[in-house]
Amino acid sequence: MNNSLEYQVRVLKIEELERALELIYNVFMEFEAPDFSEQGIKKFVEFLDFKSIKNMIDDENLHFWVCYDKEKIVGVVATRQVSHIVLLFVDKNYHRKGIGRKLFETVLSTVENNPSIKEITLNSSPYAVEFYQRLGFQDTDLEKTVDGIRFTPMKFQIR
C-alpha cells in the first residue's frame, strides 16, 4: 500500500494536460455534479475545455501541478494568480491518502516566501468544504450559486 511520501508532485507538462483534465472531469462527475444543477455541470465542463485551459496556462494565468503514483496521474491542483486555487481533484481510488493535502502544501510552499501574499483563497464545492476546513481554510461567506455552480468562498491565512 502506498503512502503519501511515495507520491510525486510536480509542475504539469503540457503533454499531460489532457490526462489531467480527464481525471478532473471523472472526479467532478462522480462527486461534485450530483450537487450541481444541469446549468452548473455544463458551465464547469465548458471551463475544462482543453484549448481554453491551454491558453490560460500559456498566458501564465493558470498554474497546474500533478501528483503521480508511478506513471498514473492521481491528483491535480491549479491556481490562478498563484494564490487562488481553482481546481483540486484526486482520483477516487486515492481519496484519504494525503494526496489532496500534499497538493495543497505544494501551492502553499510556492506562496509562503512571497511576503505580499497573506492568504490562499478558493471557492469550495459542497462536497469539499469539510476537506478544506481540515486543512485550515475558513468560510468567508455563505454558500453561493453562480451560473448553476454551488460554492462556499474560503480562505487560508498564511501569516
Side-chain angles (χ1 to χ4, degrees):
M1 187 60 113
N2 276 328
N3 65 41
S4 66
L5 298 175
E6 295 175 12
Y7 301 122
Q8 299 297 312
V9 175
R10 61 178 169 70
V11 173
L12 172 112
K13 295 176 184 162
I14 206 65
E15 59 269 16
E16 300 166 319
L17 181 57
E18 208 166 329
R19 285 189 296 147
L21 293 176
E22 185 179 327
L23 178 143
I24 293 166
Y25 175 83
N26 290 338
V27 174
F28 173 81
M29 292 308 287
E30 183 167 351
F31 296 98
E32 314 268 348
D35 292 326
F36 283 52
S37 67
E38 228 176 278
Q39 178 195 18
I41 294 167
K42 184 175 186 269
K43 192 79 173 167
F44 185 82
V45 171
E46 285 171 3
F47 173 75
L48 291 182
D49 175 68
F50 177 86
K51 210 175 203 173
S52 66
I53 293 279
K54 184 182 179 311
N55 288 339
M56 286 187 268
I57 292 170
D58 291 344
D59 295 342
E60 296 189 15
N61 292 329
L62 211 54
H63 305 274
F64 268 84
W65 292 266
V66 287
C67 181
Y68 270 90
D69 179 10
K70 299 181 181 60
E71 302 298 312
K72 181 180 181 182
I73 295 176
V74 297
V76 179
V77 66
T79 61
R80 184 178 286 134
Q81 317 289 293
V82 186
S83 62
H84 181 76
I85 296 173
V86 291
L87 299 166
L88 196 161
F89 287 85
V90 175
D91 180 300
K92 73 175 182 179
N93 298 312
Y94 291 82
H95 284 187
R96 300 198 169 276
K97 295 182 190 260
I99 291 171
R101 177 176 296 277
K102 190 169 183 133
L103 289 165
F104 166 67
E105 288 170 354
T106 300
V107 172
L108 184 59
S109 71
T110 65
V111 299
E112 277 181 323
N113 295 327
N114 184 337
S116 68
I117 298 174
K118 309 256 187 268
E119 63 189 24
I120 295 173
T121 58
L122 56 80
N123 294 322
S124 177
S125 67
Y127 180 81
V129 167
E130 281 184 43
F131 164 73
Y132 289 120
Q133 288 171 338
R134 285 194 307 272
L135 290 177
F137 280 83
Q138 296 178 332
D139 300 9
T140 58
D141 204 347
L142 299 175
E143 181 180 291
K144 300 177 179 310
T145 302
V146 176
D147 294 329
I149 294 177
R150 292 176 56 197
F151 64 91
T152 301
M154 302 179 87
K155 73 176 179 180
F156 178 91
Q157 208 66 42
I158 296 173
R159 13 189 115 51

